[in-house]
Amino acid sequence: MQNNQSYLIEKADQILGFIELKAQLAERAVSQEAKDQLMALTPYIDAAVCKERQQETTQACKLLESFGTPPLPMMENIKKVLEICETGAALTAEQLENVASFLFAVKRMQSYLKRGELSNIGVSYYGRSFMDAGELRDQINEAIINQKVSDQASSELKTIRKQMEKVSNRIKERLEQVLRQKKEYFSDSYVSIRNGHYVLPVKNSYKQQVPGTVIATSSSGNTLFVEPNSVMKLEEDLAVLQISEENEVQKILYTLTSMVAEYSLEITRNMETMTALDVVFAKAKLSIDQKAIEPEVNYDGTIRIVEGRHPLLKAKPVVPLNFMLTKEQKGIVITGPNTGGKTVSLKTVGLLSLMARSGLHVPAAKGTVFTMQDMVVCDIGDGQSISQNLSTFSAHIKTVVAIVDAITKDSLVLLDELGSGTDPKEGMGIAIAILEKLRMIGCYFVATTHYPEVKDYAEQTAGIINASMAFDRETLSPLYQLKLNEAGESCALYIAKRLGFADDMLDIAKQAAYGNGSKSAEAIHFDPMKESPSERKSAVDVRKKEIKRQEQRKNKSVKAQSFGIGDSVFVYPKKEIGIVFQTANEHGEIGVQIKKEKRLVTYKRLKLNVKASELYPEGYDFSVVFDSVYDRKVHKKMEKGHGEGLEIRHEKDELQYK
């Protein structure tokens, strides 16, 4: 189960764009540590923690807007430096300088946050978490300059280097004197250094005239770089001083490394604080870039998106989404034409929910609310034809089965083109069965479909509403606007007519789709105020049809009441056989017992099998069928007289909608 949930959550993160969004978030961080944390970001399960992270993001936005970009360091290799200290090896001058640079960044960040404290911006108090390492910072700064140990690091080093400078000058003076006296011996008129030795560029033909040690030769072989015997003693003195210098430098590096080790706790704590700030400011930068807001998060069961925008859409402008789910109304069925924005609406709901529960601001308007959930799962294609070719019906069913097994009443399920990819009638039945199962589980769900029967199911079922994507009939273009409590149409026949599809072909298409009793295809979705006179007549037919539908709805209670207690009925879409134990309620839902399980089922999903009068004799006691043995015994005792402590608790009182 756990592996199944993890797989579905990871798949949803990928499909909904949460991973891509986290990559954009990580780009706004400075240090690699913060980038790694942001890429590993997951939704919180505690609303209090989530609210705290949301508020930190809001406060960081105020700091950015008030004082500009914070002085966040990259903190490159600081962790590696601390690991080297633990081994007992000496740090290099460059590594020590990196430590000092980090500690100077801490000081600058403290100053930055201090200004925020004066403005009473809560996240500024992170600055008080920094630990003092000023002595180490100053020691390194004095001893290391431009990634080298400076003369000021110790008096001994300063003395050695002065002596080295004197000896070097004496060597150069003596060699320059030789150059001036015997110019014809040399190919150049300057003293150079080869392999750490001062040398003269002697022509190969005069090598016997300049006694000394050949240190190197030119590429052509015409010049020999010779260390004359006259400066050999000075070179030896210089070599001894260089060894002394190196020993003193190593002594200084070990001393500073020891200090870094002593301050390892302070450095580690400061790195953690700086990383936390880097994460918060990255969230704030994303919020400002997206013109996002801090949403409300709670446990009251409401998801309300006000003018929400998908943060990854490149198109400008983005049509805002208004959306609503509650604990009483947990399901939405979205219908409408292809390319109308149904899939984008699904992804927007899912991605904004993930963002909000991860402590991020969302690109929406004030009044946006998200309830805490345990997971967001989905079965969504990318809307392109290539995706449809790759996504088989069996693959979709496999995903849906995994979803049903993994979710709880606190999950959010997003399903695109529910029941597609197979025979339309069977696909419709499967779609309704899936939605009914989700309703029984009690989770939040949003599904898109083209099946009119699914729209009827949503209209007649408690806890589910229809929604549609708006469509411009004049331009034949989608408006990408979600309309709640309004079923949509595919508009295929309407579009076909506007594009020149012949009337006789439209009639055949309409009859094939909706039956022989249907009107001309011209009657589909035409506005009588905008169409031609002939089309207006068809529009009147549509209105009459709508009035007829309204009358049918008024009569639904009559049909619902036609089922009596004890009737044997078929329950669709599975065509299960059940017995009616409770007549219709105000919602047109009838109590049906199926294999000892009691359910409330809308009358539209029932078909009479055998009337009770044909199954049972007149005056039959149905408690034998519907009541437990215990309840029947209690009834008999009650009939005999009052019994102290007796209590009848009917199963109907605990009946769940299924």
Coordinates of all heavy atoms in Angstrom, one line a residue, residues 599-645:
R599 N -27.9 0.4 1.2 CA -27.3 1.6 0.4 C -28.5 2.5 0.1 O -29.6 2.1 0.1 CB -26.7 1.2 -0.9 CG -25.6 0.1 -0.8 CD -25.0 -0.1 -2.2 NE -24.1 -1.2 -2.2 CZ -23.6 -1.7 -3.3 NH1 -23.9 -1.2 -4.5 NH2 -22.7 -2.7 -3.3
L600 N -28.1 3.8 -0.1 CA -29.0 4.8 -0.7 C -28.7 5.0 -2.1 O -27.5 5.4 -2.4 CB -29.0 6.1 0.1 CG -29.6 6.2 1.5 CD1 -29.5 7.5 2.1 CD2 -31.1 5.9 1.3
V601 N -29.6 4.8 -3.0 CA -29.3 4.8 -4.5 C -30.4 5.7 -5.1 O -31.6 5.6 -4.8 CB -29.4 3.4 -5.1 CG1 -29.0 3.4 -6.6 CG2 -28.5 2.4 -4.3
T602 N -29.9 6.6 -6.1 CA -30.9 7.4 -6.8 C -31.8 6.6 -7.6 O -31.4 5.5 -8.2 CB -30.2 8.4 -7.7 OG1 -31.1 9.2 -8.4 CG2 -29.2 7.7 -8.7
Y603 N -33.1 7.0 -7.7 CA -34.1 6.2 -8.4 C -33.8 5.9 -9.8 O -34.2 5.0 -10.5 CB -35.5 6.8 -8.2 CG -35.7 8.0 -9.2 CD1 -36.3 7.8 -10.4 CD2 -35.2 9.3 -8.9 CE1 -36.5 8.9 -11.3 CE2 -35.4 10.3 -9.8 CZ -36.0 10.1 -11.0 OH -36.2 11.2 -11.8
K604 N -33.0 6.9 -10.4 CA -32.6 6.8 -11.9 C -31.8 5.5 -12.2 O -31.7 5.1 -13.3 CB -31.9 8.0 -12.3 CG -32.8 9.3 -12.3 CD -32.2 10.5 -12.9 CE -32.1 10.3 -14.4 NZ -31.6 11.5 -15.1
R605 N -31.1 5.0 -11.1 CA -30.3 3.9 -11.3 C -31.0 2.5 -11.0 O -30.3 1.5 -11.0 CB -29.0 4.0 -10.5 CG -28.1 5.1 -10.9 CD -26.9 5.3 -10.0 NE -26.2 4.0 -9.8 CZ -25.6 3.7 -8.7 NH1 -25.5 4.5 -7.7 NH2 -25.0 2.5 -8.6
L606 N -32.3 2.6 -10.8 CA -33.1 1.4 -10.4 C -34.0 1.1 -11.5 O -34.6 1.9 -12.2 CB -33.8 1.7 -9.1 CG -33.0 2.0 -7.8 CD1 -33.9 2.2 -6.7 CD2 -32.0 1.0 -7.6
K607 N -34.2 -0.2 -11.6 CA -35.2 -0.8 -12.6 C -36.0 -1.9 -11.9 O -35.3 -2.8 -11.3 CB -34.6 -1.3 -13.9 CG -35.6 -1.8 -14.9 CD -34.9 -2.2 -16.2 CE -35.9 -2.8 -17.2 NZ -35.2 -3.2 -18.4
L608 N -37.3 -1.8 -11.9 CA -38.1 -2.8 -11.2 C -37.8 -4.2 -11.8 O -37.8 -4.4 -13.0 CB -39.6 -2.5 -11.3 CG -40.5 -3.5 -10.6 CD1 -40.3 -3.4 -9.1 CD2 -42.0 -3.1 -10.9
N609 N -37.6 -5.2 -10.9 CA -37.5 -6.6 -11.3 C -38.8 -7.3 -11.0 O -39.5 -7.8 -12.0 CB -36.3 -7.2 -10.5 CG -36.1 -8.7 -10.9 OD1 -36.5 -9.1 -12.0 ND2 -35.5 -9.4 -10.0
V610 N -39.2 -7.4 -9.7 CA -40.5 -8.0 -9.4 C -41.1 -7.2 -8.2 O -40.4 -6.8 -7.3 CB -40.3 -9.5 -8.9 CG1 -41.6 -10.1 -8.6 CG2 -39.5 -10.3 -10.0
K611 N -42.4 -6.9 -8.3 CA -43.1 -6.2 -7.3 C -43.2 -7.0 -6.0 O -43.2 -8.3 -6.1 CB -44.5 -5.8 -7.7 CG -44.5 -4.7 -8.8 CD -44.1 -3.4 -8.3 CE -45.0 -2.8 -7.4 NZ -44.6 -1.4 -6.9
A612 N -43.2 -6.3 -4.9 CA -43.3 -7.0 -3.6 C -44.5 -7.9 -3.5 O -44.5 -9.0 -2.9 CB -43.2 -6.0 -2.4
S613 N -45.6 -7.4 -4.1 CA -46.9 -8.1 -4.0 C -46.8 -9.5 -4.7 O -47.6 -10.4 -4.4 CB -48.0 -7.3 -4.7 OG -47.7 -7.0 -6.0
E614 N -45.9 -9.6 -5.6 CA -45.7 -10.9 -6.3 C -44.7 -11.8 -5.6 O -44.6 -13.0 -5.8 CB -45.2 -10.7 -7.7 CG -46.2 -9.9 -8.6 CD -45.6 -9.7 -10.0 OE1 -44.8 -10.5 -10.5 OE2 -45.9 -8.6 -10.6
L615 N -44.0 -11.2 -4.6 CA -43.0 -12.0 -3.9 C -43.4 -12.4 -2.5 O -43.0 -13.5 -2.0 CB -41.7 -11.2 -3.8 CG -40.9 -10.9 -5.1 CD1 -39.7 -9.9 -4.8 CD2 -40.3 -12.2 -5.6
Y616 N -44.2 -11.6 -1.9 CA -44.6 -11.8 -0.5 C -46.1 -11.8 -0.3 O -46.8 -11.1 -1.0 CB -43.9 -10.8 0.5 CG -42.4 -10.6 0.2 CD1 -41.9 -9.6 -0.5 CD2 -41.6 -11.6 0.8 CE1 -40.6 -9.5 -0.7 CE2 -40.2 -11.4 0.6 CZ -39.7 -10.4 -0.1 OH -38.4 -10.2 -0.3
P617 N -46.6 -12.6 0.7 CA -48.1 -12.6 0.9 C -48.5 -11.2 1.6 O -47.6 -10.5 2.1 CB -48.3 -13.8 1.9 CG -46.9 -13.9 2.5 CD -45.9 -13.6 1.5
E618 N -49.7 -10.9 1.5 CA -50.2 -9.7 2.1 C -50.0 -9.7 3.6 O -50.2 -10.7 4.3 CB -51.7 -9.5 1.8 CG -52.3 -8.2 2.3 CD -53.8 -8.1 1.9 OE1 -54.3 -9.0 1.2 OE2 -54.4 -7.1 2.3
G619 N -49.5 -8.5 4.2 CA -49.2 -8.4 5.6 C -47.9 -9.1 6.0 O -47.7 -9.3 7.2
Y620 N -47.0 -9.3 5.1 CA -45.8 -10.0 5.4 C -44.9 -9.1 6.3 O -44.8 -7.9 6.1 CB -45.0 -10.3 4.1 CG -43.7 -11.1 4.3 CD1 -43.7 -12.5 4.6 CD2 -42.5 -10.4 4.2 CE1 -42.5 -13.2 4.8 CE2 -41.3 -11.1 4.4 CZ -41.3 -12.5 4.7 OH -40.2 -13.2 4.9
D621 N -44.2 -9.8 7.3 CA -43.4 -9.0 8.2 C -42.0 -8.9 7.6 O -41.2 -9.8 7.6 CB -43.3 -9.8 9.5 CG -42.4 -9.0 10.5 OD1 -42.0 -7.9 10.2 OD2 -42.1 -9.6 11.6
F622 N -41.7 -7.7 7.0 CA -40.4 -7.5 6.4 C -39.2 -7.4 7.3 O -38.0 -7.3 6.9 CB -40.4 -6.2 5.5 CG -41.2 -6.4 4.2 CD1 -42.5 -5.9 4.1 CD2 -40.7 -7.1 3.2 CE1 -43.2 -6.0 3.0 CE2 -41.4 -7.3 2.0 CZ -42.7 -6.8 1.9
S623 N -39.5 -7.3 8.6 CA -38.4 -7.3 9.6 C -37.6 -8.6 9.5 O -36.4 -8.6 9.9 CB -38.9 -7.0 11.0 OG -39.7 -8.1 11.4
V624 N -38.2 -9.6 9.1 CA -37.5 -10.9 8.9 C -36.4 -10.8 7.9 O -35.3 -11.4 8.0 CB -38.5 -12.0 8.5 CG1 -37.8 -13.3 8.2 CG2 -39.6 -12.2 9.5
V625 N -36.6 -9.9 6.9 CA -35.6 -9.7 5.8 C -34.6 -8.6 6.2 O -33.4 -8.8 5.9 CB -36.3 -9.3 4.5 CG1 -35.3 -9.1 3.4 CG2 -37.3 -10.3 4.1
F626 N -35.1 -7.5 6.8 CA -34.2 -6.4 6.9 C -33.6 -6.2 8.3 O -32.6 -5.6 8.5 CB -35.0 -5.1 6.6 CG -35.5 -5.1 5.2 CD1 -36.9 -4.9 4.9 CD2 -34.7 -5.4 4.1 CE1 -37.4 -4.9 3.6 CE2 -35.2 -5.4 2.8 CZ -36.6 -5.2 2.6
D627 N -34.3 -6.7 9.4 CA -33.8 -6.5 10.7 C -32.9 -7.6 11.2 O -33.1 -8.8 10.7 CB -35.0 -6.3 11.7 CG -35.7 -5.0 11.5 OD1 -35.2 -4.2 10.7 OD2 -36.8 -4.8 12.1
S628 N -32.0 -7.3 12.1 CA -31.2 -8.4 12.7 C -32.0 -9.2 13.6 O -33.1 -8.8 14.1 CB -30.0 -7.7 13.4 OG -30.4 -7.0 14.5
V629 N -31.4 -10.4 14.0 CA -32.1 -11.3 14.9 C -32.2 -10.6 16.3 O -33.3 -10.7 17.0 CB -31.3 -12.6 15.1 CG1 -31.9 -13.4 16.2 CG2 -31.2 -13.3 13.8
Y630 N -31.2 -9.8 16.7 CA -31.3 -9.1 17.9 C -32.4 -8.1 18.0 O -33.2 -8.0 18.9 CB -29.9 -8.3 18.1 CG -29.9 -7.4 19.3 CD1 -29.8 -7.8 20.6 CD2 -30.1 -6.0 19.1 CE1 -29.8 -7.0 21.7 CE2 -30.2 -5.1 20.2 CZ -30.0 -5.6 21.5 OH -30.0 -4.7 22.5
D631 N -32.6 -7.3 16.8 CA -33.6 -6.3 16.8 C -35.0 -7.0 16.9 O -36.0 -6.5 17.5 CB -33.5 -5.5 15.5 CG -32.4 -4.4 15.6 OD1 -32.0 -4.2 16.8 OD2 -32.1 -3.9 14.6
R632 N -35.2 -8.1 16.2 CA -36.5 -8.8 16.2 C -36.8 -9.3 17.6 O -38.0 -9.2 18.1 CB -36.5 -10.0 15.3 CG -36.4 -9.5 13.8 CD -36.9 -10.6 12.8 NE -36.1 -11.9 13.0 CZ -35.0 -12.1 12.3 NH1 -34.5 -11.2 11.5 NH2 -34.4 -13.3 12.5
K633 N -35.8 -9.8 18.4 CA -36.0 -10.2 19.8 C -36.5 -9.0 20.6 O -37.3 -9.1 21.5 CB -34.8 -10.9 20.3 CG -34.5 -12.2 19.7 CD -33.2 -12.8 20.4 CE -32.9 -14.2 19.8 NZ -31.7 -14.8 20.4
V634 N -35.8 -7.9 20.4 CA -36.1 -6.7 21.2 C -37.5 -6.2 20.9 O -38.3 -5.9 21.8 CB -35.1 -5.6 20.9 CG1 -35.6 -4.3 21.6 CG2 -33.7 -6.0 21.4
H635 N -37.9 -6.3 19.6 CA -39.3 -5.9 19.3 C -40.3 -6.8 20.0 O -41.3 -6.2 20.5 CB -39.5 -6.0 17.7 CG -39.0 -4.8 17.0 ND1 -39.6 -3.6 17.1 CD2 -38.0 -4.7 16.1 CE1 -39.0 -2.7 16.3 NE2 -38.0 -3.4 15.7
K636 N -40.1 -8.1 20.0 CA -41.0 -9.0 20.7 C -41.1 -8.7 22.2 O -42.2 -8.7 22.8 CB -40.6 -10.4 20.5 CG -40.8 -10.9 19.0 CD -40.4 -12.4 18.9 CE -40.7 -12.8 17.4 NZ -40.3 -14.2 17.2
K637 N -40.0 -8.4 22.8 CA -40.0 -8.0 24.3 C -40.8 -6.7 24.5 O -41.5 -6.6 25.5 CB -38.6 -7.9 24.8 CG -37.9 -9.2 24.9 CD -36.5 -9.1 25.5 CE -35.8 -10.4 25.6 NZ -34.4 -10.3 26.2
M638 N -40.6 -5.8 23.6 CA -41.2 -4.5 23.7 C -42.7 -4.6 23.6 O -43.5 -3.9 24.2 CB -40.7 -3.5 22.7 CG -39.3 -3.1 22.9 SD -39.1 -2.0 24.4 CE -39.8 -0.5 23.8
E639 N -43.1 -5.6 22.7 CA -44.6 -5.8 22.5 C -45.2 -6.4 23.7 O -46.4 -6.1 24.0 CB -44.8 -6.8 21.3 CG -44.5 -6.1 19.9 CD -44.5 -7.1 18.8 OE1 -44.8 -8.3 19.1 OE2 -44.3 -6.7 17.7
K640 N -44.5 -7.2 24.5 CA -45.0 -7.8 25.7 C -45.1 -6.8 26.9 O -45.8 -7.0 27.8 CB -44.1 -8.9 26.1 CG -44.1 -10.1 25.2 CD -43.2 -11.2 25.6 CE -43.3 -12.4 24.6 NZ -42.4 -13.5 25.0
G641 N -44.3 -5.7 26.8 CA -44.4 -4.7 27.9 C -43.0 -4.0 28.0 O -42.0 -4.3 27.3
H642 N -43.0 -3.0 28.9 CA -41.8 -2.2 29.0 C -40.7 -3.0 29.7 O -40.9 -3.7 30.6 CB -42.1 -1.0 29.9 CG -40.9 -0.2 30.3 ND1 -40.2 0.6 29.4 CD2 -40.2 0.0 31.5 CE1 -39.2 1.2 29.9 NE2 -39.2 0.8 31.2
G643 N -39.5 -2.9 29.1 CA -38.3 -3.6 29.7 C -37.3 -2.6 30.0 O -36.8 -1.8 29.2
E644 N -36.8 -2.5 31.3 CA -35.8 -1.6 31.7 C -34.5 -1.8 31.0 O -34.0 -3.0 30.9 CB -35.6 -1.7 33.2 CG -34.7 -0.6 33.8 CD -35.4 0.7 33.8 OE1 -36.6 0.8 33.9 OE2 -34.7 1.7 33.6
G645 N -33.9 -0.8 30.4 CA -32.6 -0.9 29.7 C -32.7 -1.3 28.3 O -31.6 -1.4 27.6

